[in-house]
Amino acid sequence: MALMHEPTAPYHSAQDALRVLETVARHTTGVTDAGLARHTGLSPERLTTLLRMLRRERYVEQGADGAYVTGDALTRLGSTHDREAALREKLQATLDRLRDSIGAAVYISRYVDGEVTISQYADGPATPSVNEWVDFRHSAHATALGKSLLGQLDHNGRRDHLSRHKMARLTSRTITSDRLLLSRLESQPPTVPHLDLQEYAVGTVCAAVPITAGSSVGCLALSLPVEHAHRLRQAADALNRNAAPVLLSLAI
């Protein structure tokens, strides 16, 4: 399966954050802001933003002397015997925080072995998740997360998926023309969130942004009741701005 990787802002943030973490890890007794700037080549403003995120995510800790050392979250993710459990726990904490800050149910979706999967999600009484009335594996054409995943494949990969999953009409807004869907996917810039405006389910709107790490295809998505549709684009922008920690967790 060929992929269409075009780096997004969260991807660049995750790459810069990895440079910072690698530098911190090499300096076991700690490294200062000035030392990090010197070793990474990042501007003070950029470094300040990244360090704020890395401290919040517990990837680095700042000692009384101001120097940065490896944090407990990074130590756990670097462990081989419980990495999967640590990663799942870390991603869930990030999703829970995003759910509360954005005010929407939030999902991590991946494209695995030619199928759409939801690997983790965070919802709550005030932020209900989507009722999966049609299997997400068969409804990529109608969901924001499905379109985001398909958008990261090449043309042949998209055609292969659509050849295996009939584009059923789920609501009056569902796109059922493969030609129209492919055209929209090809013209969609990677930095623009994919939207689902009641295409999958009446009463629900969704948005999704890519979180491709390495050779895997993934996305971060959210859903809102239609009465909150006026918040969708703002929520999608917030999701995109906060995708870097998810990407970083997957990349460590």
Side-chain angles (χ1 to χ4, degrees):
M1 176 184 64
L3 311 179
M4 302 279 285
H5 284 184
E6 293 186 53
T8 57
Y11 174 87
H12 288 302
S13 292
Q15 290 298 103
D16 287 346
L18 280 173
R19 287 162 60 193
V20 174
L21 290 179
E22 288 165 356
T23 303
V24 171
R26 285 198 305 270
H27 294 77
T28 53
T29 59
V31 57
T32 63
D33 299 68
L36 284 170
R38 186 170 63 255
H39 287 290
T40 62
L42 297 170
S43 69
E45 295 80 9
R46 178 71 165 158
L47 191 57
T48 297
T49 299
L50 290 171
L51 285 170
R52 186 182 304 121
M53 183 264 284
L54 292 171
R55 287 199 307 271
R56 186 190 68 217
E57 298 292 329
R58 305 195 325 278
Y59 286 133
V60 299
E61 296 174 2
Q62 189 174 23
D65 60 354
Y68 292 91
V69 295
T70 298
D72 65 315
L74 183 60
T75 301
R76 282 204 65 199
L77 283 180
S79 171
T80 54
H81 72 277
D82 68 346
R83 173 177 159 71
E84 285 305 312
L87 177 59
R88 189 166 186 83
E89 181 183 316
K90 190 74 185 73
L91 290 173
Q92 193 61 51
T94 301
L95 291 179
D96 290 347
R97 189 177 64 249
L98 283 174
R99 173 201 60 203
D100 295 341
S101 64
I102 297 175
V106 184
Y107 316 75
I108 293 177
S109 180
R110 293 174 178 169
Y111 197 71
V112 181
D113 296 329
E115 300 295 350
V116 173
T117 64
I118 304 290
S119 54
Q120 286 179 250
Y121 68 96
D123 63 354
T127 54
S129 58
V130 175
N131 173 34
E132 189 179 355
W133 74 284
V134 176
D135 194 319
F136 287 135
R137 291 176 298 175
H138 308 311
S139 54
H141 64 291
T143 62
L145 61 88
K147 287 184 282 187
S148 179
L149 297 175
L150 292 178
Q152 296 173 62
L153 307 181
D154 65 6
H155 184 76
N156 290 335
R158 295 166 187 162
R159 280 212 167 276
D160 171 71
H161 184 92
L162 296 179
S163 71
R164 292 182 287 107
H165 297 286
K166 177 178 169 58
M167 294 176 61
R169 184 176 298 281
L170 307 183
T171 76
S172 62
R173 294 174 176 264
T174 307
I175 297 174
T176 56
S177 162
D178 59 351
R179 180 178 296 179
L180 177 58
L181 179 64
L182 289 169
S183 173
R184 290 191 178 181
L185 290 175
E186 287 164 7
S187 63
Q188 175 99 354
T191 54
V192 177
H194 284 269
L195 303 179
D196 157 16
L197 304 175
Q198 301 190 86
E199 296 168 49
Y200 173 76
V202 173
T204 302
V205 295
C206 306
V209 297
I211 51 166
T212 301
S215 61
S216 66
V217 170
C219 72
L220 196 56
L222 64 83
S223 65
L224 289 166
V226 70
E227 54 266 30
H228 293 283
H230 61 282
R231 292 202 295 116
L232 183 62
R233 291 190 182 277
Q234 182 181 6
D237 289 341
L239 191 72
N240 199 33
R241 287 195 305 272
N242 290 280
V246 178
L247 261 171
L248 185 58
S249 297
L250 294 171
I252 290 173

